[in-house]
Amino acid sequence: MVLNCRHVWKEISNYIEGTVAPELRDEMEQHLAHCRHCAAVLDSTRNILYLIADERVFTLPAGYADRLHARLQEEIEGPPSGGV
Amino acid sequence: MDFKAKACEGGPPEASAAEAEAALVRRILAGERHLFHELVRPHERGVYFAAYSVLKNEHDAEEVAQEAMLKALRNLASFRAEAKFGTWLTAIAINEARGRLRHERVLQFSSIDAPTEDEDGEFVPELITDWREVPLESLERRELREMLQQAIASLPENYREVLVLRDVQDLNIAETAAALGVSEGVVKTRLLRARLRMQKILAPQLASKRGGRLFGLFKKGTGQSWF
Ligand SMILES: [Zn+2]
């Protein structure tokens, strides 16, 4: 079977995960070596995932941890659970 | 952090960390309740973003994160040690957040926009012929961070949840499935669609020429890169 572009897109997420079977992976890599569109789709998708994994993209609200632990402390010091 | 390396690991969690966590849980249940601070500290960020992935709102996400932590403390005796504590906590946060969202939708008489699983089977990514890597240093630019946040916020809820848990928080597929209460197959399907949608939204904006012109990121005269 010869892979077309749609087959490659369908498996691109699993390919990034590293979970496609070796045979399919080889076929995908042959396709990617010759298809500029699919190679760019793979590169751009991987690049975007790399960017969104960075801690600078989503930051916690200022004071979040302090407020959280203060609230937890109230609960910890309060009466044992059950009487909510 | 190398994304490829991260994506390939997926092995069992470090036994020692899981044992330390189980030991903490036992001590808290035996009465040392102050240790709960220590137990949840590694999960503060994850719980907040799990809630945020559903709610897309900082204030609500913080409230839900607090509620989820309190619920976990009150129900710690029902935590089963075969699950990872972080996954259990994330599942509580997701459920709390969904509950709040449903409640708000009922109040607003609005409909739930969750896509069906077989939607857009023929999804076509953005077909560019050349991709110029956007380096991590570019994240110093607020425009880029906002562009990424907006792209994630624009995804349908089902897709946003898997993307945030798997690709932002770095849970593995099994943990993501457990936290969301769906099968691993469903996670993989949604992940494919979420990732391709992100590519479709962002690739045209980030492709160096257009992104550079849009955000004034080219150095005068060079016309080349994000810096
Ligand atoms: Zn192709």
Side-chain angles (χ1 to χ4, degrees):
Chain A
M1 181 181 98
V2 177
L3 286 186
N4 64 30
C5 296
R6 283 180 190 277
H7 291 135
V8 171
W9 304 337
K10 246 187 108 180
E11 291 298 331
I12 211 154
S13 179
N14 291 331
Y15 182 84
I16 290 171
E17 291 286 332
T19 57
V20 290
E23 277 174 36
L24 178 58
R25 193 187 59 223
D26 291 346
E27 287 186 54
M28 288 179 76
E29 279 166 4
Q30 281 173 31
H31 181 102
L32 288 161
H34 296 101
C35 177
R36 289 166 67 206
H37 287 294
C38 287
V41 169
L42 175 65
D43 288 347
S44 56
T45 305
R46 201 147 45 187
N47 193 182
I48 287 162
L49 298 182
Y50 187 49
L51 291 170
I52 65 170
D54 192 281
E55 298 211 339
R56 280 170 291 188
V57 176
F58 289 104
T59 52
L60 292 165
Y64 160 77
D66 292 343
R67 289 188 295 275
L68 172 65
H69 285 278
R71 181 68 190 88
L72 290 175
Q73 188 57 30
E74 282 176 27
E75 180 76 12
I76 286 167
E77 287 170 356
S81 62
V84 184
Chain B
M1 185 180 61
D2 176 45
F3 183 77
K4 244 184 145 177
K6 162 186 115 171
C8 291
E9 59 192 37
E14 318 76 23
S16 58
E19 280 165 23
E21 225 164 42
L24 267 180
V25 170
R26 281 194 299 273
R27 289 175 65 186
I28 294 163
L29 289 172
E32 294 181 80
R33 287 163 61 82
H34 64 279
L35 292 176
F36 191 73
H37 291 294
E38 197 183 319
L39 179 66
V40 299
R41 215 171 280 282
H43 307 294
E44 284 167 7
R45 187 179 164 84
V47 167
Y48 173 84
F49 288 112
Y52 186 86
S53 76
V54 177
L55 297 163
K56 297 192 285 182
N57 171 296
E58 285 197 359
H59 179 259
D60 289 353
E62 176 165 351
E63 280 191 6
V64 164
Q66 279 197 15
E67 284 165 22
M69 293 278 198
L70 290 170
K71 205 165 193 172
L73 176 56
R74 291 171 190 147
N75 295 288
L76 194 59
S78 68
F79 168 62
R80 297 278 165 265
E82 62 264 27
K84 276 174 85 176
F85 179 73
T87 308
W88 183 69
L89 197 54
T90 303
I92 294 175
I94 294 273
N95 285 329
E96 286 287 309
R98 285 174 174 171
R100 176 173 294 223
L101 204 61
R102 303 265 136 76
H103 181 66
E104 280 171 10
R105 280 178 180 144
V106 168
L107 292 180
Q108 293 165 1
F109 303 102
S110 63
S111 63
I112 293 171
D113 62 351
T116 56
E117 291 301 332
D118 56 359
E119 190 202 26
D120 67 24
E122 289 294 298
F123 193 83
V124 178
E126 180 69 16
L127 295 178
I128 44 180
T129 52
D130 191 20
W131 177 256
R132 185 187 292 274
E133 169 104 358
V134 179
L136 283 179
E137 302 88 80
S138 313
L139 288 169
E140 293 302 323
R141 294 189 169 273
R142 194 162 56 93
E143 300 97 313
L144 176 59
R145 297 197 300 271
E146 285 176 353
M147 193 196 281
L148 298 171
Q149 289 163 6
Q150 281 166 11
I152 292 175
S154 74
L155 297 176
E157 185 183 330
N158 283 348
Y159 298 165
R160 191 170 59 244
E161 289 170 358
V162 294
L163 189 85
V164 169
L165 295 182
R166 173 70 191 98
D167 290 331
V168 177
Q169 289 182 224
D170 198 20
L171 301 189
N172 64 33
I173 298 279
E175 290 164 351
T176 303
L180 293 173
V182 297
S183 70
E184 293 186 24
V186 166
V187 168
K188 287 179 189 168
T189 304
R190 289 181 186 173
L191 201 52
L192 168 65
R193 291 171 184 164
R195 287 168 168 177
L196 286 183
R197 278 173 185 243
M198 289 291 283
Q199 192 271 353
K200 184 128 190 160
I201 296 165
L202 289 165
Q205 299 181 57
L206 294 174
S208 58
K209 280 180 196 159
R210 277 168 285 182
R213 193 168 63 219
L214 202 53
F215 295 100
L217 296 173
F218 292 155
K219 281 184 208 151
K220 266 238 151 60
T222 68
Q224 285 298 322
S225 74
W226 281 77
F227 278 99

